[in-house]
Amino acid sequence: MTLQMDLPTSTADQYPTRKSTEPALLYRKDPTVWGSGDGPFTSDELKGYDGRGYTQVESLVNADEVKAYRAELERLSSDRKLRSDERVIVEPTSDEVRSVFEVHKISKVFSDLVNDPRLVERARQILGSDVYVHQSRVNYKPGFGGGSFYWHSDFETWHAEDGMPRMRSVSFSVALTDNHTHNGALMIMPGSHRTFVSCVGETPEDHYRSSLKSQHVGTPDQQSLTYLADQHGIDVLTGAAGGVTVFDSNCMHGSGGNITPYPRSNVFIVFNSVENACEKPFSAPSPRPEFLSARDFTPAGR
């Protein structure tokens, strides 16, 4: 493993990954906050986001909205017709729904949410431009069997397989259930967003079909993970339903399985800058399907 290798700024691929037999840790070449600071986040909140790579907003959506989102979540998970849709992913060891992708195109309820000014204006403030929805999904993580999500940087996949050029995207996780330390809460290494983990292993054709259930290519090596954890520690992000976690695309994060009776469900929305629209994949034979990587760059909230 190469530690903190720098690259010339003229290199076309600023974040090479899946191209070497050895993993490497690369310096981040992009700002975390691209905007001027004007918007719903306070200067202190933006400063915290810039330093940690994430921030949390309590009660961004109210109890009635949470109730409506949960009802829609239940409707989608019980719709047998949707089970044959490629956008619906089930747990690898059961028939339980794991995720439903492109949920803003399946559901009017969630379409309204991805265009909600409370989210869109915060994304614009961080990214310094209009934004579009790169990806949306609902994650269920049911009680007694919700699977884990191994440590990863979202940007590594979006760069390698979707062709996202720079680290100019942000994720919003809207909690639909209470997040406890014991029901598979999100874990983040604060400050890890400043280091890019270049992974090993070539991307197979149609890799997404297997990776959505259990990813192996594009996952960081244990030595890199240990180094980042030693440097930054691990934050376990808990909070009540209705809260939102906002985190940078390159944060190293993951979550454990849920063996408690209490589900941990959330709506996950990725906003990308319209000035950072996806191109040809940097380390994959072909782009992933549009339900995973939107090619419609129409600004959200317009």
Side-chain angles (χ1 to χ4, degrees), residues 2 7 48 53 55 65 84 89 94 96 105 118-119 135 145 160 165 231-232 237 244 258 260 267 281 294 297:
T2 302
L7 295 173
T55 190
E65 291 171 312
S84 60
I89 311 301
S94 72
E96 293 271 12
K105 292 190 176 181
R118 290 171 295 182
L119 277 62
Q135 185 188 104
Q231 291 294 308
H232 303 293
L237 306 188
V244 177
N258 182 16
T260 75
V267 185
F297 309 133

Side-chain angles (χ1 to χ4, degrees), residues 18 49 74 114 128 148 216 224:
R18 310 187 196 182
Y49 176 84
E74 180 62 29
V114 302
S148 63
H216 299 286
S224 295

Side-chain angles (χ1 to χ4, degrees), residues 25 48 69 76 80 90 112 129 137 183-184 193 212 215-216 257 262 267 283 293 296 299 301:
L25 300 181
Y69 298 148
L76 293 174
R80 301 307 299 183
V90 298
D112 291 342
S129 69
R137 69 176 183 263
N183 68 339
H193 62 299
L212 292 178
Q215 185 170 349
H216 299 286
Y262 313 111
V267 185
S283 301
S293 170
D296 177 357

